[in-house]
Amino acid sequence: MERTIIVSNRLPVTINRKDNKVVFTPSPGGLATGLAGASKDMDFMWIGWAGFSLDSFQENAEEIKASLEKQRLIPIFLCEEDINQFYEGFSNTTLWPLFHSFPTYTSCHEDQWQVYKKVNELFCEEVLKHATEEDLIWIHDYHLLLLPELIRKKLPKARIAYFQHIPFPSYEIFRILPWREQILKGVTGADLIGFHTHDDVKHFLISIQRILGIESKMGTVRADERIFKVDAFPLGIDFDKYWETSMHKSTERQVGLHRKQFQDVKIILSIDRLDYTKGIPERLKAFDVFLEKNPEFREKVSLLMIVVPSREKVELYKNLKMEIDEMVGNITSKYRTVNWTPVLYFYRAYPLQSLSAFYKLSDVALITPLRDGMNLVCKEYVASRSDESGVLILSEMAGAAKELSDALIINPYNIEQCANAIKTALCMPLDEQKRRMSEMQYLLRKYDVSKWTSLFLKSMEEIVQKQNELAMKRLTPELRHKILSDFNCSKKRILFLDYDGTLVSFQNKPEYAKPDKDLYDIMEKLCAIKNLKVVIISGRNKTSLNEWFGHFNIDIIAEHGLWMRRDKTWKMMIQLNNEWKKELSAILNLFVEKTPGSFVEEKDHSLVWHYRKADNNLSNARKKELLDYLQYLTTNMGLSVLEGNKVVEIKSVLINKGRAVKKYLKSSFDFILAAGDDWTDEDMFKEMPDHAYTIKIGSSLSAAKYTLPQYIQGVNSGIRTLLTEITQNSQ
Ligand code: GDG
């Protein structure tokens, strides 16, 4: 069985000292809870911070290590200073608020960033002690955003996955981060990047597009010579565990005792870690408004509010705690009677069984975070309602709201709406409660944590398979050797070479992408080889191509095959009607006006809208609009609308590179090589006979047999290297 190495900030245990003995207890918290279910079926190892400062447990470090290793848990020990700067500092006062869209709570300190980097490197060192390229390394959450790239540098072939448990903010918020580039580069070292919701995925993809200039298609991203995948995987819970615990005899006994105490008072439950993202003050406000507006419910309902202590050393949390205490005090003093307490407030953690009893006895769960990656508490409440009664009020800002549409969904900032939802929930007829609850249970049972793990791992397999397919097409040194030897053994040979993106790299304006001296040297040497025909095949107009390459003894195909220069004479291959150009150029010009930086290029028989220099976001939206529009307008006009590298081109369907090369293939060549980088070259590849070497420049899927990296300006790379080798080895 292959091994999965899980890496997270914390190990799923809390380590304490009791009566001079070290005690291990499983930690609460979403990640630990979620993976506890998943890890049962895996051969796994878990690497994470031990959760305390090395200084405080120095003498027990070895004992702790040995004991944890028996459970396949590998502890990382951090000193007090690192914990302050990395955990309390950069993770919890920079990334946490920013990623939850609280930019005003976000502090940015260079020294904390330096320690964040250092601790990520420390994690990397520990991972490298255990991992091989055979393992799957599955990194969790925002504390370790740099780790995927750090591991990738040391183990280039490793399978690395990253899952983020908290939201990914919109680009406008993320861009605030002074280290945004490094963070994005760090995480894009993974093969698979997962978030809870599609919104997070969308935000992430926009950020990498705008900050790193990396494009994606359906969540598949191509960066340099790698591809990776970004997708949504909403985390499920261990449904059966909560279902079964709620039916334990001891849970039922506990519920019975509580019920006796509360008598007929209905219970609204809320459970959160102490955090400003959880919307606790807003919830108390809503409950206050509810009691104010609906006096008939006083003495009939109580809010059972459990707040689990967290990050107590941070000033913001201390203040939040004081605010909550005060609000609870105010509500209590305002409404309390001798027999009834409006808010039953507990500031502590409970064992699972007690939690289960609270879930089971509560008539309503009020889960109203201002922002939450997923929120597992609401799912656990649903899974604990074995009699299908109960109502869930859920914030639309929690990732879980995307799945649990049968809850009463509210905006937590809308206090009135939340207060009204409390009333609706308390008055909801039992059959409606059951209908809603059973729908939610069906969904949560089906998409439980094991399903989540298997979907994630399956997606990992798929992307790895795609990468392998691409890797298999890469031109290896052996293949290059074979190309050279076949070239030398052949008697009649031909090269079809695309220009932009193949022989030269892209520039902001097409006229800047002129041939340079190195390319001219290569062309000159190619022309000196006997029995070799060189054909430049491009979408460019014949004037530019003639100006640049007219002095060589080569053939040129311009405008995707409309013009052909053979034996130094230009010939138009098809007679075309150009009447459509007038109507469509008016439309393209309209898009130029609406998209600053874009422009229209008019060729003899085609029109091209270029948007490489325009703002990325705007031009992508405009491109989609234009494509939709053209699809409708060009019906029955005999035109094809093609999307290229930052261009949209309209031309006659009769012109394509495939038709153009066919003319050459009538005579038999015993060596053929065709290279190109975009969709227009696919027509050419498809026409090639079996013995031809077809080479796709770049790493996307193609009809070509092989791939080569793009040419990098100023460096002899990509197809230029191969052409140089041909000139050096030709006999
Ligand atoms: C992050 C994201 C995302 C709570 N109190 C007690 C207790 N818990 C358990 C709950 C639940 C877990 O802790 C809390 O999970 P959440 O999902 O609400 O939140 P975070 O821990 O902040 O986790 C979050 C999650 O990751 C998973 O991806 O959903 O959005 O912020 O399981 O039951 N457990 C016990 N006693 C308590 O008093 N035993």
Side-chain angles (χ1 to χ4, degrees), residues 26-31 33-34 96 100 141-142 163-167 196 235 237 242 271-273 277-278 306-308 311 348-353 355 359 371-378 380 399 452:
S27 341
L31 173 57
T33 316
W96 176 270
H100 283 86
D141 233 358
Y142 64 104
F163 185 81
Q164 182 157 306
H165 292 257
I166 65 170
H196 283 304
L235 177 62
I237 55 165
Y242 287 93
I271 302 181
D272 315 88
R273 228 172 12 80
T277 61
K278 301 290 182 185
I306 295 164
V307 178
V308 180
R311 301 176 194 171
R348 73 194 76 145
Y350 282 91
L352 175 68
Q353 190 120 56
L355 223 57
Y359 288 144
R371 199 89 181 84
D372 215 334
M374 171 52 68
N375 193 297
L376 299 179
V377 169
C378 63
E380 292 164 8
W452 176 77

Side-chain angles (χ1 to χ4, degrees), residues 515-531:
D516 50 279
K517 186 174 172 311
D518 286 349
L519 181 58
Y520 277 150
D521 284 351
I522 294 172
M523 294 307 291
E524 212 170 299
K525 286 179 187 150
L526 285 174
C527 288
I529 300 175
K530 277 192 202 135
N531 301 326

